[in-house]
Amino acid sequence: QAQVVESGGGLVQPGGSLKLSCAARDTIFNINAMGWYRQAPGKQRELVATMSGGLTPNYADSVKGRFTVSGDFDKRTVWLQMNSLKREDTAVYYCFARNWREYWGQGTQVTVSS
């Protein structure tokens, strides 16, 4: 059974918006970081946006001003609001949760295309 589950991916036109959600299982305690990475075809997995203790956000330069990460570690959830989407945002988006180890989801596909 998956430890972390993402949802909300899909097909959207350039300039559109999507909101991704991620929930970690209730057996995962003392979460100190959650966030999102993505992997496009033929490319390495890269950081998109993360939150650490105090819910401090950290963004990749390529998404600053367009994406917003938010979360509630007590509820083991994190969201990624993506606005002004570009074709180059097309990728599989992966969520992670971290306490003394990392837990990863299986990913959700985001496709930006007209």
Side-chain angles (χ1 to χ4, degrees), residues 10-106:
L11 173 65
V12 63
Q13 293 185 343
S17 298
L18 277 177
K19 186 174 184 177
L20 305 183
S21 299
C22 172
R25 290 188 66 186
D26 56 8
T27 54
I28 300 174
F29 297 99
N30 298 318
I31 292 174
N32 54 50
M34 294 187 76
W36 299 90
Y37 280 67
R38 67 186 180 188
Q39 187 166 18
K43 295 186 177 181
Q44 291 187 333
R45 190 174 296 192
E46 63 177 5
L47 179 148
V48 177
T50 63
M51 302 189 74
S52 59
L55 301 181
T56 303
N58 178 47
Y59 296 98
D61 288 343
S62 60
V63 307
K64 283 181 180 177
R66 301 188 298 121
F67 291 11
T68 302
V69 63
S70 58
D72 185 334
F73 290 175
D74 289 339
K75 295 182 179 179
R76 295 175 296 279
T77 56
V78 66
W79 301 273
L80 185 67
Q81 177 66 47
M82 305 184 293
N83 298 327
S84 302
L85 282 160
K86 304 176 181 180
R87 288 182 173 82
E88 51 264 42
D89 294 318
T90 295
V92 177
Y93 284 69
Y94 296 91
C95 175
F96 77 93
R98 182 189 303 142
N99 48 22
W100 53 85
R101 55 159 288 188
E102 286 188 349
Y103 303 84
W104 287 87
Q106 294 185 328

